[in-house]
Amino acid sequence: MAFKSRDTRAMIDRYRWWEVVAIYAGMFCFLFFLLSPFIEGFLVSLKPLAQLFSSPYRFWPENGTFAAYVSMWETVPGFARYVFNSFLISTISTCIVLLLVVPAAYAFARFDYRGMGLVLGGFLAVSMFSGAVLLIPLFRLMRTMGLLNTYFAMIIPGAAFLIPSAIWLLRTYMMRIPTELNEAAYMDGASQFYTFRRVILPIARPGIIVVAIVTFIGAYSQQFIFALTFNSKTEYMPLPIGLYAYFGKQEVIWNELMAASFVGIAPALVIIFFLQRYLVGGLTAGAVKQ
Amino acid sequence: MGQLSLKTVIKTFGDFQVVKGVSLDVTEGEFVVFVGPSGCGKSTLLRMIAGLEHTTAGDIVIDGKRVNDLPPVKRGIAMVFQSYALYPHMTVFENIAFPLRVEKAPEEVIRKKVAEAAAILHLETRLQQKPGQLSGGQRQRVAIGRAIVRQPEIFLFDEPLSNLDAALRADMRIELTRLHKQLGATMIYVTHDQVEAMTMADRIVVLNAGYIAQVGAPLELYHKPQNTFVAGFIGNPRMNFLPVTCTGVSAAGVEVDYQGQRLHLPVAPRPGIEGATLSLGIRPEHITLGAGEATLRITPSVVEQLGQQTIGYATLPGREETFCFVLPGTRVIEDDKPLDIGFAASECHLFDAEGQAFERSIDLAALTVPSAV
Ligand SMILES: Nc1ncnc2c1ncn2[C@@H]1O[C@H](COP(=O)(O)OP(=O)(O)OP(=O)(O)O)[C@@H](O)[C@H]1O
Ligand SMILES: [Mg+2]
């Protein structure tokens, strides 16, 4: 991405050297703060179990080993299934959210109709409810619909919780697409749907990908609440529940637990890495003269 | 084909009337320019003709058919936006081809028509580039290309050149005039650039606050403005206005008095105006150095030497607005030094208290004959 390095260049040119150093130092501190739990977790996963309970506690592993990454599969034989479940639930949730949110966000961004502010405000208000408050009514709803102990019990409420913020995020993005493009397409005889598919969607792609990533991460991290409440079948349980299996009767197998956590996040990381490659900025360059 | 009529067209936004009853006939193949100050409703009127804006009242008629309720394509109209409105993710080829793709034209037709448009607009080498890689002038040409492939009867342009720099604007002006000749289509063009209006238009429509102030050929507006608005709007620098008293009316014209100086203006007389206060209009470029039929003693406060011409600004005693005059660039004058300037009665315009012009007795046809010298 040529433009990106040019931007960086421009940024460096605009600041004095010590300002650049300060900015990078600040970013590094922030990054370290964010990453330290992961670093610690990763180091724990490398330590032999005995070292974990030694006193005084050592930060760096001695004779670090990846053995936990092998033994974890024996300790919890069904672990792969948990990962698969998480992955499946998040993927389907994300697909559902995108299918509903992309057209909705477009409508909210482009069409002005009476009461739209109310509907949008409603979405915001609803999303402020803590999920915990709604668990009991949701449980009754799921039971009535006969969805308890199915994947849907985790997918549907999960998707529903993720929709409001996704709509707001994507609407904001789509509002930045110039309306002249709609008018030009209309002048050229294109129908609303044709314009949406051929003009708006391709331009909105970076926004849609961001929403997909945010939604996927959201689905991945929130699903265990629904799993614990609406599901009692082990074969449908997602990753976070699977991790509890490493809490043994007498002790917590910390190194394997951490190893399993990293294995569990891996598919999500792969998806995000895959999606972000399509995140190119500047897609509207040259559309209209600002 | 390409004949357009507006019949007392009105547009209101909420309680706010923006276009207040505009009637206009545009003949086939004509190049009509809408000019007017910002906010006077030019774009709104154009967008109503395009079909982008609902018409509150009145009829829009194209080739004898009322089109108020038809979408743009069915009106046989294409529009070029001020902001280009190109599809940023598509190549130049696909941008130009877009209207044809919409109507599902066969691939070879698309290729042929896009090639034709690209040739007319000198875009052949750019077809595979994206809009973001083009210059402003090239983008505007792509936007025009997208309009011509549909072969519309009527083209609408909303300030298509205002985002370009002066040199490019001059080039594009000539190209657009050539395009108009080549295509023979009706063109309606919104601008607030006077030079564009004067050079490109067959007829200019001057809009003021939602009304048509005057419609006419460029030189007609310049020589026979019907009211003070048009007189002040057309021409640069602006026309000067002086208060005069009517002292007599004859078949040959109207006699006025400006501070003791009598001027006999060759304009169509009206009865019963003796003693009335009228407004005398004189264009800065019609003022000469030294005494004339009427002479003013002024002290220029600012002098602009442009080489080609010298523009002076002065305040007349008892008047608030500045009086402006243009002299040949060879005339060197200095600011803060009093001097005499004069003008001829035949160059003057006369307006009544309502700002309506007395028609000048000049033959426009004679003015447009190039060999009149
Ligand atoms: N959608 C709208 N809602 C309300 N008022 C509007 C709308 N569009 C235009 N107007 C108003 O109508 C008036 C005329 O606008 P218009 O855009 O036609 O002016 P214009 O002559 O094209 O001006 P400019 O030279 O600045 O482009 C303005 O006062 C504007 O505020
Ligand atoms: Mg406008």
Side-chain angles (χ1 to χ4, degrees), chain B residues 61-79:
Chain B
V61 178
I62 292 175
D63 294 329
K65 201 164 112 209
R66 183 178 178 275
V67 296
N68 285 39
D69 304 316
L70 292 185
V73 246
K74 298 243 172 83
R75 299 180 182 201
I77 277 181
M79 179 158 168

Side-chain angles (χ1 to χ4, degrees), chain A residues 108-110 170-179:
Chain A
F108 282 129
R110 268 301 179 272
L170 196 54
R171 171 177 176 264
T172 312
Y173 190 89
M174 284 183 162
M175 278 170 45
R176 298 212 328 252
I177 301 175
T179 41

Side-chain angles (χ1 to χ4, degrees), chain B residues 325-339:
Chain B
F325 56 96
V326 175
L327 302 172
T330 49
R331 295 308 184 119
V332 179
I333 56 171
E334 285 170 55
D335 47 3
D336 298 325
K337 286 248 182 78
L339 71 149

Side-chain angles (χ1 to χ4, degrees), chain A:
Chain A
M1 282 190 290
F3 78 97
K4 202 164 188 180
S5 58
R6 215 183 318 136
D7 282 358
T8 315
R9 187 79 246 154
M11 191 197 95
I12 291 175
D13 287 346
R14 217 173 29 243
Y15 293 97
R16 291 170 195 287
W17 68 267
W18 52 269
E19 283 175 324
V20 177
V21 169
I23 288 167
Y24 276 94
M27 287 197 293
F28 189 79
C29 287
F30 185 65
L31 201 64
F32 180 78
F33 187 70
L34 276 182
L35 286 181
S36 52
F38 291 89
I39 296 169
E40 158 99 58
F42 181 65
L43 294 177
V44 166
S45 76
L46 298 182
K47 293 175 189 173
L49 199 57
Q51 241 177 68
L52 286 163
F53 300 102
S54 68
S55 168
Y57 182 72
R58 296 231 192 107
F59 187 66
W60 296 105
E62 243 169 81
N63 311 321
T65 163
F66 282 98
Y69 286 85
V70 179
S71 59
M72 56 166 273
W73 300 100
E74 286 152 27
T75 312
V76 182
F79 188 73
R81 178 69 191 238
Y82 293 120
V83 177
F84 170 79
N85 286 343
S86 266
F87 196 71
L88 184 78
I89 293 168
S90 297
T91 306
I92 297 180
S93 301
T94 305
C95 291
I96 292 177
V97 168
L98 285 184
L99 275 178
L100 294 172
V101 158
V102 171
Y106 177 61
F108 282 129
R110 268 301 179 272
F111 307 112
D112 214 359
Y113 57 87
R114 212 179 283 262
M116 189 176 87
L118 219 61
V119 177
L120 271 173
F123 274 118
L124 198 63
V126 166
S127 67
M128 283 190 243
F129 271 95
S130 154
V133 181
L134 297 173
L135 279 179
I136 304 303
L138 269 175
F139 180 83
R140 297 173 61 113
L141 191 67
M142 289 296 134
R143 195 176 53 191
T144 319
M145 296 201 307
L147 293 177
L148 289 182
N149 301 321
T150 65
Y151 279 125
F152 291 109
M154 290 168 275
I155 290 170
I156 294 176
F161 272 96
L162 292 166
I163 281 175
S165 56
I167 284 187
W168 273 86
L169 197 62
L170 196 54
R171 171 177 176 264
T172 312
Y173 190 89
M174 284 183 162
M175 278 170 45
R176 298 212 328 252
I177 301 175
T179 41
E180 277 104 328
L181 293 184
N182 287 74
E183 292 183 341
Y186 180 57
M187 288 298 304
D188 290 341
S191 64
Q192 279 290 354
F193 185 70
Y194 190 97
T195 309
F196 178 63
R197 212 163 66 92
R198 297 294 167 119
V199 179
I200 302 300
L201 272 191
I203 299 175
R205 200 177 64 183
I208 295 173
I209 289 170
V210 168
V211 169
I213 291 176
V214 170
T215 305
F216 191 87
I217 295 172
Y220 219 78
S221 61
Q222 72 168 207
Q223 57 191 216
F224 85 101
I225 308 174
F226 303 117
L228 281 175
T229 324
F230 306 142
N231 183 34
S232 52
K233 292 210 173 145
T234 318
E235 64 259 43
Y236 298 146
M237 283 297 186
L239 172 72
I241 312 297
L243 292 177
Y244 278 103
Y246 293 95
F247 290 77
K249 296 218 168 51
Q250 276 94 40
E251 56 177 15
V252 180
I253 315 164
W254 285 108
N255 52 357
E256 288 184 10
L257 175 63
M258 284 304 142
S261 301
F262 280 101
V263 170
I265 323 175
L269 289 181
V270 169
I271 283 267
I272 291 165
F273 181 76
F274 172 77
L275 285 176
Q276 65 93 32
R277 287 187 34 207
Y278 292 94
L279 261 188
V280 278
L283 259 192
T284 51
V288 298
K289 177 90 178 192
Q290 262 86 26

Side-chain angles (χ1 to χ4, degrees), chain B residues 38-39 41-44 47 82 158-159 190 192:
Chain B
S38 196
K42 306 180 293 288
S43 297
T44 307
R47 290 166 57 85
Q82 172 177 2
D158 192 353
E159 311 206 22
V190 167
H192 46 231

Side-chain angles (χ1 to χ4, degrees), chain B residues 37-356:
Chain B
S38 196
C40 70
K42 306 180 293 288
S43 297
T44 307
L45 190 57
L46 199 73
R47 290 166 57 85
M48 279 196 284
I49 299 170
L52 287 173
E53 209 77 74
H54 174 76
T55 305
T56 311
D59 289 336
I60 297 172
V61 178
I62 292 175
D63 294 329
K65 201 164 112 209
R66 183 178 178 275
V67 296
N68 285 39
D69 304 316
L70 292 185
V73 246
K74 298 243 172 83
R75 299 180 182 201
I77 277 181
M79 179 158 168
V80 177
F81 293 81
Q82 172 177 2
S83 60
Y84 319 138
L86 299 179
Y87 309 121
H89 56 295
M90 297 181 189
T91 60
V92 168
F93 182 96
E94 285 304 322
N95 264 284
I96 298 177
F98 188 86
L100 303 171
R101 295 239 186 265
V102 170
E103 56 187 47
K104 298 203 169 61
E107 192 62 36
E108 63 270 19
V109 174
I110 294 181
R111 223 165 300 138
K112 186 167 149 283
K113 287 194 174 177
V114 172
E116 278 170 18
I120 293 174
L121 298 163
H122 313 298
L123 285 169
E124 294 100 326
T125 56
R126 307 279 172 190
L127 286 175
Q128 293 316 315
Q129 293 181 324
K130 298 256 176 86
Q133 298 163 279
L134 302 180
S135 72
Q138 289 161 346
R139 285 180 205 175
Q140 194 53 277
R141 288 210 291 266
V142 176
I144 295 169
R146 196 172 58 188
I148 50 187
V149 285
R150 266 180 42 210
Q151 296 170 317
E153 311 284 353
I154 301 176
F155 283 88
L156 306 178
F157 297 89
D158 192 353
E159 311 206 22
L161 309 186
S162 58
N163 287 332
L164 307 181
D165 63 47
L168 203 51
R169 208 149 59 207
D171 290 348
M172 285 296 290
R173 211 162 62 213
I174 294 164
E175 279 195 42
L176 275 175
T177 310
R178 191 183 302 140
L179 189 71
H180 176 238
K181 287 212 183 86
Q182 197 171 346
L183 300 176
T186 307
M187 292 191 173
I188 299 179
Y189 189 104
V190 167
T191 181
H192 46 231
D193 183 317
Q194 272 199 39
V195 181
E196 280 174 29
M198 297 298 281
T199 53
M200 300 169 82
D202 292 322
R203 275 196 305 160
I204 296 178
V205 176
V206 183
L207 289 168
N208 179 23
Y211 293 105
I212 291 186
Q214 188 174 352
V215 182
L219 289 183
E220 187 182 343
L221 297 192
Y222 180 80
H223 291 293
K224 288 188 172 186
Q226 283 168 0
N227 45 57
T228 44
F229 179 81
V230 176
F233 193 78
I234 301 287
N236 188 23
R238 267 171 70 85
M239 184 185 280
N240 299 298
F241 297 101
L242 299 170
V244 293
T245 315
C246 177
T247 50
V249 177
S250 71
V254 177
E255 193 189 51
V256 296
D257 173 283
Y258 177 71
Q259 296 181 345
Q261 305 185 61
R262 292 287 162 98
L263 277 171
H264 217 87
L265 305 180
V267 297
R270 288 182 212 167
I273 53 165
E274 282 99 338
T277 301
L278 304 174
S279 186
L280 179 89
I282 179 72
R283 293 196 183 278
E285 56 270 36
H286 294 143
I287 286 170
T288 50
L289 203 55
E293 285 173 43
T295 306
L296 301 175
R297 181 140 197 100
I298 52 143
T299 310
S301 50
V302 177
V303 173
E304 296 173 343
Q305 310 272 7
L306 301 183
Q308 188 190 9
Q309 49 187 215
T310 300
I311 306 177
Y313 301 90
T315 314
L316 295 180
R319 304 277 298 155
E320 272 174 24
E321 69 265 44
T322 43
F323 188 91
C324 174
F325 56 96
V326 175
L327 302 172
T330 49
R331 295 308 184 119
V332 179
I333 56 171
E334 285 170 55
D335 47 3
D336 298 325
K337 286 248 182 78
L339 71 149
D340 281 339
I341 53 172
F343 51 88
S346 61
E347 304 279 20
C348 290
H349 301 250
L350 190 63
F351 305 91
D352 63 21
E354 278 77 50
Q356 293 303 309

